[in-house]
Amino acid sequence: MSDPILSRFALNAFEMLGDEDPELYKLVEGEYRRQIYSLAMVASCSNAHPSALACEGTFTSNVTAEGYPGARFHAGCEYVDQFEQLAIDRAKKAFKAQYANVQPHTASTANQVVTSRLVNPGETLMGLSLDAGGHLSHGAKVNISGSFYNAIGYRLNDKGFIDYGQVEELAMEHKPKLIICGTTAYPRIIEWDRFRKIADKVGAYLLADITHIAGLVIAGEHPNPIDIAHITTTCTHKQLYGPRGGLIMMGREWDLPNPRGKGTLSGLMQSGLFPFTQGAPIINNIVAKARALDRASRPEFKELAKRIVMQSRALAQALADRGMNVVSGGSDNHIILADTMASFNVTGIIAEKALEECNIIINKNFIPGDQLSPFITSGIRIGTNSMAARGLTEEAIGQCAELICRVLKSVEVVSEKEYRLDTEARDKYRDEVKQIALQFPIPGYPLPED
Ligand code: DSN
């Protein structure tokens, strides 16, 4: 590097923040320390790589660039076109795709693009019910996907696996235009080809939303739907350790005819994103996506993905050994769903709050057949993306399982939402968490000196 101009820019930027707005600097620094000293096990989070965060924090944000590379509505896009093309090429390479659109602000937006272009208001789509582990954008009543369209939800069987028989029955009965397969709280492999057979049987398009498992897909730790589903969407932050944002991709069927007119299905996605759904893209976000996609395509990332699954399996087993009822009996990906009510008579919300007090960050979650409200729930969802990046060993994973179960067993339940946790015990748990966090620091996140 002849002139580390970008490093000077970044240092200067934080110094300006500290000098000009100490109140905000203190808050941002507080969040940094919170992340350093806690163990983040929320399945939908990870530690974004510092180089991706650096890309996102740049002046590339200053460019307005409606349109696509080579076809913009604004001048000044010489570098912007190259950033975006690089991100597209890297997305295609990583996922073995033929088409990629890197502009979606989020995966929810990506799903909205696909849904709104393939289903007319009032027509039918199908997705995994929110309370069975689906996503808001897969047909939840409180979302556009469940209020503008006639959304039919399929569910899990008693063992906690997708009920493919029910998917087929519902598809035959309701003849959806679009079937969405993808989950937010499902610990098992998704059988894309079974979904495709059902979609073909009823003449539906198939959308695979791989938001939660995108890293495992790239690394070959989960089957890739790119050539099975008509369209695949993902976010770039959960398991790609990149910026918050979305992608729309297609595989071998990228040139199917556009059901709305001239051109191809991928052309419909292109215009469905801009100008139908979004305006100007977030350029700094696209630069950061390019960076994250490059990292995710490297051999080291395969090791990380293997560790994600290894840790998840080990944690599921270690929790079960300590009396936790693990939904579906284990995990094939990064997610563990645990029934805390059946295990320790503790609701999901109490488990979430009590663990948070001890600096273990998980989230309350519905478990299959849950009778409690979404604000309370009977269980929790745990994920290993962040712990895998930190490189926790199997022994340390066992320590985490032990800590989680000890905290939940020591909670004194007062009501569905209220509990007491002895402060001396809590401080001891916090200290144990801190020791693990210091032993396995987040890569690229320097430890505070004090
Ligand atoms: N989809 C939500 C989750 O899985 O937690 C947020 O990204």
Side-chain angles (χ1 to χ4, degrees), residues 126-128 152-156 161-176 179-181 191 194-199 202 206:
M126 270 177 60
L128 182 62
I152 305 294
Y154 54 87
R155 312 188 68 81
L156 308 180
F161 289 75
I162 290 173
D163 188 341
Y164 294 93
Q166 189 199 40
V167 177
E168 182 164 357
E169 272 169 33
L170 289 173
M172 294 294 283
E173 183 185 344
H174 297 282
K175 298 279 187 296
I179 298 177
I180 306 172
C181 49
E191 298 179 52
R194 291 183 75 173
F195 274 108
R196 179 60 195 252
K197 279 195 190 112
I198 296 167
V202 299
L206 184 65

PDB file of all heavy atoms in Angstrom, residues 126-128 152-156 161-176 179-181 191 194-199 202 206:
ATOM      1  N   MET A 126     -47.814 -19.854  -1.095  1.00  0.00           N
ATOM      2  CA  MET A 126     -47.664 -20.732   0.068  1.00  0.00           C
ATOM      3  C   MET A 126     -46.276 -20.576   0.677  1.00  0.00           C
ATOM      4  O   MET A 126     -45.292 -20.403  -0.041  1.00  0.00           O
ATOM      5  CB  MET A 126     -47.808 -22.213  -0.364  1.00  0.00           C
ATOM      6  CG  MET A 126     -49.230 -22.731  -0.306  1.00  0.00           C
ATOM      7  SD  MET A 126     -49.328 -24.429  -0.919  1.00  0.00           S
ATOM      8  CE  MET A 126     -48.245 -25.301   0.184  1.00  0.00           C
ATOM      9  N   GLY A 127     -46.224 -20.636   1.998  1.00  0.00           N
ATOM     10  CA  GLY A 127     -44.929 -20.582   2.687  1.00  0.00           C
ATOM     11  C   GLY A 127     -45.057 -21.273   4.030  1.00  0.00           C
ATOM     12  O   GLY A 127     -46.173 -21.554   4.494  1.00  0.00           O
ATOM     13  N   LEU A 128     -43.917 -21.529   4.662  1.00  0.00           N
ATOM     14  CA  LEU A 128     -43.946 -22.126   6.000  1.00  0.00           C
ATOM     15  C   LEU A 128     -44.533 -21.093   6.967  1.00  0.00           C
ATOM     16  O   LEU A 128     -44.101 -19.942   6.982  1.00  0.00           O
ATOM     17  CB  LEU A 128     -42.517 -22.500   6.427  1.00  0.00           C
ATOM     18  CG  LEU A 128     -42.348 -23.181   7.784  1.00  0.00           C
ATOM     19  CD1 LEU A 128     -43.071 -24.523   7.844  1.00  0.00           C
ATOM     20  CD2 LEU A 128     -40.856 -23.389   8.090  1.00  0.00           C
ATOM     21  N   ILE A 152     -51.230 -19.219   2.156  1.00  0.00           N
ATOM     22  CA  ILE A 152     -51.526 -20.503   2.791  1.00  0.00           C
ATOM     23  C   ILE A 152     -50.237 -20.986   3.470  1.00  0.00           C
ATOM     24  O   ILE A 152     -49.185 -21.030   2.834  1.00  0.00           O
ATOM     25  CB  ILE A 152     -51.960 -21.553   1.732  1.00  0.00           C
ATOM     26  CG1 ILE A 152     -53.143 -21.028   0.899  1.00  0.00           C
ATOM     27  CG2 ILE A 152     -52.284 -22.898   2.382  1.00  0.00           C
ATOM     28  CD1 ILE A 152     -54.433 -20.826   1.660  1.00  0.00           C
ATOM     29  N   GLY A 153     -50.353 -21.350   4.745  1.00  0.00           N
ATOM     30  CA  GLY A 153     -49.151 -21.769   5.474  1.00  0.00           C
ATOM     31  C   GLY A 153     -49.088 -23.278   5.641  1.00  0.00           C
ATOM     32  O   GLY A 153     -50.084 -23.902   5.989  1.00  0.00           O
ATOM     33  N   TYR A 154     -47.940 -23.851   5.357  1.00  0.00           N
ATOM     34  CA  TYR A 154     -47.737 -25.266   5.698  1.00  0.00           C
ATOM     35  C   TYR A 154     -46.940 -25.323   6.992  1.00  0.00           C
ATOM     36  O   TYR A 154     -46.427 -24.316   7.467  1.00  0.00           O
ATOM     37  CB  TYR A 154     -47.059 -26.033   4.549  1.00  0.00           C
ATOM     38  CG  TYR A 154     -45.774 -25.454   4.037  1.00  0.00           C
ATOM     39  CD1 TYR A 154     -44.550 -25.785   4.629  1.00  0.00           C
ATOM     40  CD2 TYR A 154     -45.754 -24.575   2.960  1.00  0.00           C
ATOM     41  CE1 TYR A 154     -43.352 -25.256   4.163  1.00  0.00           C
ATOM     42  CE2 TYR A 154     -44.565 -24.045   2.490  1.00  0.00           C
ATOM     43  CZ  TYR A 154     -43.374 -24.384   3.091  1.00  0.00           C
ATOM     44  OH  TYR A 154     -42.190 -23.849   2.642  1.00  0.00           O
ATOM     45  N   ARG A 155     -46.859 -26.525   7.564  1.00  0.00           N
ATOM     46  CA  ARG A 155     -46.314 -26.602   8.921  1.00  0.00           C
ATOM     47  C   ARG A 155     -45.324 -27.767   9.040  1.00  0.00           C
ATOM     48  O   ARG A 155     -44.955 -28.389   8.045  1.00  0.00           O
ATOM     49  CB  ARG A 155     -47.462 -26.789   9.921  1.00  0.00           C
ATOM     50  CG  ARG A 155     -48.631 -25.823   9.708  1.00  0.00           C
ATOM     51  CD  ARG A 155     -49.623 -25.914  10.826  1.00  0.00           C
ATOM     52  NE  ARG A 155     -49.026 -25.409  12.051  1.00  0.00           N
ATOM     53  CZ  ARG A 155     -48.932 -24.116  12.345  1.00  0.00           C
ATOM     54  NH1 ARG A 155     -49.420 -23.216  11.533  1.00  0.00           N
ATOM     55  NH2 ARG A 155     -48.369 -23.734  13.458  1.00  0.00           N
ATOM     56  N   LEU A 156     -44.957 -28.058  10.294  1.00  0.00           N
ATOM     57  CA  LEU A 156     -44.032 -29.158  10.577  1.00  0.00           C
ATOM     58  C   LEU A 156     -44.828 -30.354  11.105  1.00  0.00           C
ATOM     59  O   LEU A 156     -45.942 -30.196  11.609  1.00  0.00           O
ATOM     60  CB  LEU A 156     -43.025 -28.732  11.652  1.00  0.00           C
ATOM     61  CG  LEU A 156     -42.269 -27.422  11.414  1.00  0.00           C
ATOM     62  CD1 LEU A 156     -41.313 -27.145  12.579  1.00  0.00           C
ATOM     63  CD2 LEU A 156     -41.484 -27.461  10.107  1.00  0.00           C
ATOM     64  N   PHE A 161     -40.119 -31.837  11.741  1.00  0.00           N
ATOM     65  CA  PHE A 161     -39.590 -31.786  10.375  1.00  0.00           C
ATOM     66  C   PHE A 161     -40.674 -31.221   9.442  1.00  0.00           C
ATOM     67  O   PHE A 161     -41.875 -31.367   9.721  1.00  0.00           O
ATOM     68  CB  PHE A 161     -39.188 -33.185   9.897  1.00  0.00           C
ATOM     69  CG  PHE A 161     -37.954 -33.722  10.577  1.00  0.00           C
ATOM     70  CD1 PHE A 161     -38.006 -34.189  11.886  1.00  0.00           C
ATOM     71  CD2 PHE A 161     -36.734 -33.734   9.915  1.00  0.00           C
ATOM     72  CE1 PHE A 161     -36.872 -34.671  12.526  1.00  0.00           C
ATOM     73  CE2 PHE A 161     -35.591 -34.214  10.543  1.00  0.00           C
ATOM     74  CZ  PHE A 161     -35.648 -34.687  11.847  1.00  0.00           C
ATOM     75  N   ILE A 162     -40.262 -30.600   8.323  1.00  0.00           N
ATOM     76  CA  ILE A 162     -41.251 -30.084   7.358  1.00  0.00           C
ATOM     77  C   ILE A 162     -42.149 -31.222   6.916  1.00  0.00           C
ATOM     78  O   ILE A 162     -41.668 -32.312   6.579  1.00  0.00           O
ATOM     79  CB  ILE A 162     -40.541 -29.448   6.139  1.00  0.00           C
ATOM     80  CG1 ILE A 162     -39.846 -28.151   6.562  1.00  0.00           C
ATOM     81  CG2 ILE A 162     -41.546 -29.167   5.009  1.00  0.00           C
ATOM     82  CD1 ILE A 162     -38.967 -27.521   5.495  1.00  0.00           C
ATOM     83  N   ASP A 163     -43.444 -30.971   6.913  1.00  0.00           N
ATOM     84  CA  ASP A 163     -44.414 -31.997   6.532  1.00  0.00           C
ATOM     85  C   ASP A 163     -44.656 -31.899   5.014  1.00  0.00           C
ATOM     86  O   ASP A 163     -45.553 -31.189   4.551  1.00  0.00           O
ATOM     87  CB  ASP A 163     -45.709 -31.767   7.330  1.00  0.00           C
ATOM     88  CG  ASP A 163     -46.705 -32.894   7.142  1.00  0.00           C
ATOM     89  OD1 ASP A 163     -46.556 -33.651   6.145  1.00  0.00           O
ATOM     90  OD2 ASP A 163     -47.620 -33.018   7.967  1.00  0.00           O
ATOM     91  N   TYR A 164     -43.787 -32.586   4.248  1.00  0.00           N
ATOM     92  CA  TYR A 164     -43.866 -32.486   2.779  1.00  0.00           C
ATOM     93  C   TYR A 164     -45.200 -33.019   2.247  1.00  0.00           C
ATOM     94  O   TYR A 164     -45.689 -32.549   1.223  1.00  0.00           O
ATOM     95  CB  TYR A 164     -42.689 -33.219   2.121  1.00  0.00           C
ATOM     96  CG  TYR A 164     -41.361 -32.561   2.426  1.00  0.00           C
ATOM     97  CD1 TYR A 164     -40.580 -32.969   3.503  1.00  0.00           C
ATOM     98  CD2 TYR A 164     -40.890 -31.502   1.647  1.00  0.00           C
ATOM     99  CE1 TYR A 164     -39.365 -32.351   3.793  1.00  0.00           C
ATOM    100  CE2 TYR A 164     -39.679 -30.875   1.932  1.00  0.00           C
ATOM    101  CZ  TYR A 164     -38.925 -31.311   3.013  1.00  0.00           C
ATOM    102  OH  TYR A 164     -37.736 -30.690   3.307  1.00  0.00           O
ATOM    103  N   GLY A 165     -45.776 -34.007   2.960  1.00  0.00           N
ATOM    104  CA  GLY A 165     -47.098 -34.529   2.556  1.00  0.00           C
ATOM    105  C   GLY A 165     -48.133 -33.423   2.647  1.00  0.00           C
ATOM    106  O   GLY A 165     -48.958 -33.244   1.735  1.00  0.00           O
ATOM    107  N   GLN A 166     -48.063 -32.644   3.717  1.00  0.00           N
ATOM    108  CA  GLN A 166     -49.024 -31.546   3.865  1.00  0.00           C
ATOM    109  C   GLN A 166     -48.768 -30.461   2.819  1.00  0.00           C
ATOM    110  O   GLN A 166     -49.707 -29.873   2.281  1.00  0.00           O
ATOM    111  CB  GLN A 166     -48.917 -30.943   5.272  1.00  0.00           C
ATOM    112  CG  GLN A 166     -50.026 -29.958   5.536  1.00  0.00           C
ATOM    113  CD  GLN A 166     -49.712 -29.011   6.685  1.00  0.00           C
ATOM    114  OE1 GLN A 166     -48.597 -28.533   6.841  1.00  0.00           O
ATOM    115  NE2 GLN A 166     -50.727 -28.747   7.493  1.00  0.00           N
ATOM    116  N   VAL A 167     -47.493 -30.202   2.514  1.00  0.00           N
ATOM    117  CA  VAL A 167     -47.178 -29.192   1.486  1.00  0.00           C
ATOM    118  C   VAL A 167     -47.873 -29.594   0.185  1.00  0.00           C
ATOM    119  O   VAL A 167     -48.535 -28.786  -0.476  1.00  0.00           O
ATOM    120  CB  VAL A 167     -45.645 -29.080   1.249  1.00  0.00           C
ATOM    121  CG1 VAL A 167     -45.343 -28.078   0.137  1.00  0.00           C
ATOM    122  CG2 VAL A 167     -44.914 -28.687   2.524  1.00  0.00           C
ATOM    123  N   GLU A 168     -47.751 -30.876  -0.159  1.00  0.00           N
ATOM    124  CA  GLU A 168     -48.340 -31.341  -1.417  1.00  0.00           C
ATOM    125  C   GLU A 168     -49.875 -31.240  -1.384  1.00  0.00           C
ATOM    126  O   GLU A 168     -50.493 -30.747  -2.327  1.00  0.00           O
ATOM    127  CB  GLU A 168     -47.901 -32.796  -1.683  1.00  0.00           C
ATOM    128  CG  GLU A 168     -48.435 -33.308  -2.999  1.00  0.00           C
ATOM    129  CD  GLU A 168     -47.729 -34.565  -3.479  1.00  0.00           C
ATOM    130  OE1 GLU A 168     -46.775 -35.020  -2.815  1.00  0.00           O
ATOM    131  OE2 GLU A 168     -48.150 -35.075  -4.533  1.00  0.00           O
ATOM    132  N   GLU A 169     -50.454 -31.704  -0.267  1.00  0.00           N
ATOM    133  CA  GLU A 169     -51.928 -31.643  -0.162  1.00  0.00           C
ATOM    134  C   GLU A 169     -52.427 -30.211  -0.300  1.00  0.00           C
ATOM    135  O   GLU A 169     -53.376 -29.932  -1.045  1.00  0.00           O
ATOM    136  CB  GLU A 169     -52.377 -32.163   1.209  1.00  0.00           C
ATOM    137  CG  GLU A 169     -52.597 -33.654   1.269  1.00  0.00           C
ATOM    138  CD  GLU A 169     -52.766 -34.130   2.704  1.00  0.00           C
ATOM    139  OE1 GLU A 169     -53.317 -33.371   3.533  1.00  0.00           O
ATOM    140  OE2 GLU A 169     -52.305 -35.246   2.994  1.00  0.00           O
ATOM    141  N   LEU A 170     -51.790 -29.297   0.422  1.00  0.00           N
ATOM    142  CA  LEU A 170     -52.233 -27.891   0.382  1.00  0.00           C
ATOM    143  C   LEU A 170     -52.025 -27.300  -1.017  1.00  0.00           C
ATOM    144  O   LEU A 170     -52.850 -26.527  -1.508  1.00  0.00           O
ATOM    145  CB  LEU A 170     -51.475 -27.064   1.422  1.00  0.00           C
ATOM    146  CG  LEU A 170     -51.843 -27.328   2.882  1.00  0.00           C
ATOM    147  CD1 LEU A 170     -50.894 -26.582   3.824  1.00  0.00           C
ATOM    148  CD2 LEU A 170     -53.290 -26.912   3.166  1.00  0.00           C
ATOM    149  N   ALA A 171     -50.905 -27.662  -1.639  1.00  0.00           N
ATOM    150  CA  ALA A 171     -50.626 -27.133  -2.980  1.00  0.00           C
ATOM    151  C   ALA A 171     -51.682 -27.627  -3.972  1.00  0.00           C
ATOM    152  O   ALA A 171     -52.169 -26.862  -4.813  1.00  0.00           O
ATOM    153  CB  ALA A 171     -49.225 -27.539  -3.426  1.00  0.00           C
ATOM    154  N   MET A 172     -52.042 -28.914  -3.851  1.00  0.00           N
ATOM    155  CA  MET A 172     -53.058 -29.476  -4.753  1.00  0.00           C
ATOM    156  C   MET A 172     -54.404 -28.788  -4.536  1.00  0.00           C
ATOM    157  O   MET A 172     -55.148 -28.513  -5.467  1.00  0.00           O
ATOM    158  CB  MET A 172     -53.209 -30.983  -4.514  1.00  0.00           C
ATOM    159  CG  MET A 172     -51.980 -31.800  -4.877  1.00  0.00           C
ATOM    160  SD  MET A 172     -51.642 -31.776  -6.629  1.00  0.00           S
ATOM    161  CE  MET A 172     -52.880 -32.919  -7.203  1.00  0.00           C
ATOM    162  N   GLU A 173     -54.684 -28.513  -3.279  1.00  0.00           N
ATOM    163  CA  GLU A 173     -55.989 -27.909  -2.959  1.00  0.00           C
ATOM    164  C   GLU A 173     -56.057 -26.436  -3.381  1.00  0.00           C
ATOM    165  O   GLU A 173     -57.042 -25.992  -3.954  1.00  0.00           O
ATOM    166  CB  GLU A 173     -56.228 -28.033  -1.442  1.00  0.00           C
ATOM    167  CG  GLU A 173     -57.580 -27.502  -1.001  1.00  0.00           C
ATOM    168  CD  GLU A 173     -57.732 -27.535   0.527  1.00  0.00           C
ATOM    169  OE1 GLU A 173     -56.932 -28.243   1.199  1.00  0.00           O
ATOM    170  OE2 GLU A 173     -58.632 -26.841   1.036  1.00  0.00           O
ATOM    171  N   HIS A 174     -54.968 -25.676  -3.120  1.00  0.00           N
ATOM    172  CA  HIS A 174     -55.046 -24.219  -3.301  1.00  0.00           C
ATOM    173  C   HIS A 174     -54.396 -23.717  -4.588  1.00  0.00           C
ATOM    174  O   HIS A 174     -54.551 -22.545  -4.927  1.00  0.00           O
ATOM    175  CB  HIS A 174     -54.415 -23.518  -2.094  1.00  0.00           C
ATOM    176  CG  HIS A 174     -55.145 -23.786  -0.815  1.00  0.00           C
ATOM    177  ND1 HIS A 174     -56.314 -23.146  -0.487  1.00  0.00           N
ATOM    178  CD2 HIS A 174     -54.888 -24.647   0.197  1.00  0.00           C
ATOM    179  CE1 HIS A 174     -56.741 -23.583   0.692  1.00  0.00           C
ATOM    180  NE2 HIS A 174     -55.892 -24.499   1.121  1.00  0.00           N
ATOM    181  N   LYS A 175     -53.669 -24.563  -5.287  1.00  0.00           N
ATOM    182  CA  LYS A 175     -53.023 -24.195  -6.560  1.00  0.00           C
ATOM    183  C   LYS A 175     -52.327 -22.819  -6.477  1.00  0.00           C
ATOM    184  O   LYS A 175     -52.690 -21.859  -7.173  1.00  0.00           O
ATOM    185  CB  LYS A 175     -54.061 -24.165  -7.684  1.00  0.00           C
ATOM    186  CG  LYS A 175     -54.744 -25.494  -7.956  1.00  0.00           C
ATOM    187  CD  LYS A 175     -53.863 -26.381  -8.814  1.00  0.00           C
ATOM    188  CE  LYS A 175     -54.534 -27.654  -9.281  1.00  0.00           C
ATOM    189  NZ  LYS A 175     -54.929 -28.600  -8.245  1.00  0.00           N
ATOM    190  N   PRO A 176     -51.301 -22.699  -5.622  1.00  0.00           N
ATOM    191  CA  PRO A 176     -50.613 -21.398  -5.487  1.00  0.00           C
ATOM    192  C   PRO A 176     -49.844 -21.035  -6.756  1.00  0.00           C
ATOM    193  O   PRO A 176     -49.426 -21.922  -7.507  1.00  0.00           O
ATOM    194  CB  PRO A 176     -49.649 -21.647  -4.327  1.00  0.00           C
ATOM    195  CG  PRO A 176     -49.378 -23.111  -4.369  1.00  0.00           C
ATOM    196  CD  PRO A 176     -50.666 -23.764  -4.821  1.00  0.00           C
ATOM    197  N   ILE A 179     -44.621 -21.029  -4.481  1.00  0.00           N
ATOM    198  CA  ILE A 179     -44.350 -21.736  -3.219  1.00  0.00           C
ATOM    199  C   ILE A 179     -43.000 -21.233  -2.715  1.00  0.00           C
ATOM    200  O   ILE A 179     -42.013 -21.216  -3.458  1.00  0.00           O
ATOM    201  CB  ILE A 179     -44.311 -23.271  -3.422  1.00  0.00           C
ATOM    202  CG1 ILE A 179     -45.683 -23.774  -3.913  1.00  0.00           C
ATOM    203  CG2 ILE A 179     -43.919 -23.977  -2.118  1.00  0.00           C
ATOM    204  CD1 ILE A 179     -45.740 -25.264  -4.217  1.00  0.00           C
ATOM    205  N   ILE A 180     -42.985 -20.813  -1.462  1.00  0.00           N
ATOM    206  CA  ILE A 180     -41.733 -20.334  -0.867  1.00  0.00           C
ATOM    207  C   ILE A 180     -41.211 -21.408   0.087  1.00  0.00           C
ATOM    208  O   ILE A 180     -41.946 -21.868   0.971  1.00  0.00           O
ATOM    209  CB  ILE A 180     -41.944 -19.019  -0.084  1.00  0.00           C
ATOM    210  CG1 ILE A 180     -42.604 -17.967  -0.981  1.00  0.00           C
ATOM    211  CG2 ILE A 180     -40.619 -18.499   0.472  1.00  0.00           C
ATOM    212  CD1 ILE A 180     -43.034 -16.695  -0.258  1.00  0.00           C
ATOM    213  N   CYS A 181     -39.972 -21.833  -0.130  1.00  0.00           N
ATOM    214  CA  CYS A 181     -39.373 -22.755   0.833  1.00  0.00           C
ATOM    215  C   CYS A 181     -38.163 -22.044   1.427  1.00  0.00           C
ATOM    216  O   CYS A 181     -37.365 -21.438   0.720  1.00  0.00           O
ATOM    217  CB  CYS A 181     -38.991 -24.087   0.195  1.00  0.00           C
ATOM    218  SG  CYS A 181     -38.060 -23.988  -1.322  1.00  0.00           S
ATOM    219  N   GLU A 191     -35.278 -30.127   1.818  1.00  0.00           N
ATOM    220  CA  GLU A 191     -35.207 -30.976   0.617  1.00  0.00           C
ATOM    221  C   GLU A 191     -35.812 -30.210  -0.562  1.00  0.00           C
ATOM    222  O   GLU A 191     -37.002 -30.301  -0.835  1.00  0.00           O
ATOM    223  CB  GLU A 191     -35.917 -32.301   0.886  1.00  0.00           C
ATOM    224  CG  GLU A 191     -35.242 -33.081   2.003  1.00  0.00           C
ATOM    225  CD  GLU A 191     -35.952 -34.388   2.310  1.00  0.00           C
ATOM    226  OE1 GLU A 191     -36.190 -35.183   1.388  1.00  0.00           O
ATOM    227  OE2 GLU A 191     -36.278 -34.605   3.497  1.00  0.00           O
ATOM    228  N   ARG A 194     -37.896 -31.995  -3.334  1.00  0.00           N
ATOM    229  CA  ARG A 194     -39.275 -32.381  -3.003  1.00  0.00           C
ATOM    230  C   ARG A 194     -40.209 -31.192  -3.216  1.00  0.00           C
ATOM    231  O   ARG A 194     -41.328 -31.332  -3.716  1.00  0.00           O
ATOM    232  CB  ARG A 194     -39.364 -32.886  -1.561  1.00  0.00           C
ATOM    233  CG  ARG A 194     -38.649 -34.222  -1.393  1.00  0.00           C
ATOM    234  CD  ARG A 194     -38.787 -34.775  -0.009  1.00  0.00           C
ATOM    235  NE  ARG A 194     -40.111 -35.335   0.240  1.00  0.00           N
ATOM    236  CZ  ARG A 194     -40.440 -35.998   1.347  1.00  0.00           C
ATOM    237  NH1 ARG A 194     -39.534 -36.180   2.291  1.00  0.00           N
ATOM    238  NH2 ARG A 194     -41.647 -36.472   1.519  1.00  0.00           N
ATOM    239  N   PHE A 195     -39.715 -30.006  -2.841  1.00  0.00           N
ATOM    240  CA  PHE A 195     -40.525 -28.801  -3.077  1.00  0.00           C
ATOM    241  C   PHE A 195     -40.718 -28.579  -4.581  1.00  0.00           C
ATOM    242  O   PHE A 195     -41.794 -28.220  -5.034  1.00  0.00           O
ATOM    243  CB  PHE A 195     -39.842 -27.573  -2.468  1.00  0.00           C
ATOM    244  CG  PHE A 195     -40.180 -27.363  -1.016  1.00  0.00           C
ATOM    245  CD1 PHE A 195     -39.246 -27.604  -0.027  1.00  0.00           C
ATOM    246  CD2 PHE A 195     -41.436 -26.900  -0.637  1.00  0.00           C
ATOM    247  CE1 PHE A 195     -39.555 -27.398   1.311  1.00  0.00           C
ATOM    248  CE2 PHE A 195     -41.750 -26.688   0.704  1.00  0.00           C
ATOM    249  CZ  PHE A 195     -40.806 -26.941   1.676  1.00  0.00           C
ATOM    250  N   ARG A 196     -39.655 -28.794  -5.358  1.00  0.00           N
ATOM    251  CA  ARG A 196     -39.757 -28.517  -6.789  1.00  0.00           C
ATOM    252  C   ARG A 196     -40.763 -29.456  -7.457  1.00  0.00           C
ATOM    253  O   ARG A 196     -41.530 -29.038  -8.332  1.00  0.00           O
ATOM    254  CB  ARG A 196     -38.377 -28.646  -7.450  1.00  0.00           C
ATOM    255  CG  ARG A 196     -38.385 -28.398  -8.954  1.00  0.00           C
ATOM    256  CD  ARG A 196     -38.881 -26.975  -9.283  1.00  0.00           C
ATOM    257  NE  ARG A 196     -39.226 -26.832 -10.684  1.00  0.00           N
ATOM    258  CZ  ARG A 196     -38.518 -26.134 -11.580  1.00  0.00           C
ATOM    259  NH1 ARG A 196     -37.424 -25.505 -11.214  1.00  0.00           N
ATOM    260  NH2 ARG A 196     -38.915 -26.055 -12.832  1.00  0.00           N
ATOM    261  N   LYS A 197     -40.739 -30.728  -7.020  1.00  0.00           N
ATOM    262  CA  LYS A 197     -41.702 -31.688  -7.603  1.00  0.00           C
ATOM    263  C   LYS A 197     -43.129 -31.217  -7.337  1.00  0.00           C
ATOM    264  O   LYS A 197     -43.994 -31.284  -8.217  1.00  0.00           O
ATOM    265  CB  LYS A 197     -41.491 -33.076  -6.988  1.00  0.00           C
ATOM    266  CG  LYS A 197     -40.345 -33.824  -7.633  1.00  0.00           C
ATOM    267  CD  LYS A 197     -40.367 -35.305  -7.294  1.00  0.00           C
ATOM    268  CE  LYS A 197     -39.064 -35.947  -7.771  1.00  0.00           C
ATOM    269  NZ  LYS A 197     -38.192 -36.396  -6.717  1.00  0.00           N
ATOM    270  N   ILE A 198     -43.351 -30.742  -6.127  1.00  0.00           N
ATOM    271  CA  ILE A 198     -44.699 -30.268  -5.772  1.00  0.00           C
ATOM    272  C   ILE A 198     -45.046 -29.024  -6.594  1.00  0.00           C
ATOM    273  O   ILE A 198     -46.146 -28.901  -7.139  1.00  0.00           O
ATOM    274  CB  ILE A 198     -44.791 -29.983  -4.251  1.00  0.00           C
ATOM    275  CG1 ILE A 198     -44.584 -31.273  -3.461  1.00  0.00           C
ATOM    276  CG2 ILE A 198     -46.138 -29.341  -3.906  1.00  0.00           C
ATOM    277  CD1 ILE A 198     -44.343 -31.076  -1.967  1.00  0.00           C
ATOM    278  N   ALA A 199     -44.103 -28.111  -6.703  1.00  0.00           N
ATOM    279  CA  ALA A 199     -44.343 -26.884  -7.474  1.00  0.00           C
ATOM    280  C   ALA A 199     -44.686 -27.239  -8.925  1.00  0.00           C
ATOM    281  O   ALA A 199     -45.635 -26.695  -9.509  1.00  0.00           O
ATOM    282  CB  ALA A 199     -43.109 -25.979  -7.416  1.00  0.00           C
ATOM    283  N   VAL A 202     -48.227 -28.523  -9.540  1.00  0.00           N
ATOM    284  CA  VAL A 202     -49.346 -27.573  -9.523  1.00  0.00           C
ATOM    285  C   VAL A 202     -49.068 -26.335 -10.385  1.00  0.00           C
ATOM    286  O   VAL A 202     -49.843 -25.383 -10.385  1.00  0.00           O
ATOM    287  CB  VAL A 202     -49.693 -27.144  -8.071  1.00  0.00           C
ATOM    288  CG1 VAL A 202     -50.118 -28.341  -7.250  1.00  0.00           C
ATOM    289  CG2 VAL A 202     -48.531 -26.410  -7.405  1.00  0.00           C
ATOM    290  N   LEU A 206     -41.144 -21.728  -7.783  1.00  0.00           N
ATOM    291  CA  LEU A 206     -40.564 -22.073  -6.483  1.00  0.00           C
ATOM    292  C   LEU A 206     -39.496 -21.043  -6.112  1.00  0.00           C
ATOM    293  O   LEU A 206     -38.560 -20.800  -6.880  1.00  0.00           O
ATOM    294  CB  LEU A 206     -39.933 -23.471  -6.537  1.00  0.00           C
ATOM    295  CG  LEU A 206     -39.370 -23.977  -5.205  1.00  0.00           C
ATOM    296  CD1 LEU A 206     -40.481 -24.180  -4.169  1.00  0.00           C
ATOM    297  CD2 LEU A 206     -38.602 -25.297  -5.404  1.00  0.00           C
TER     298      LEU A 206
END
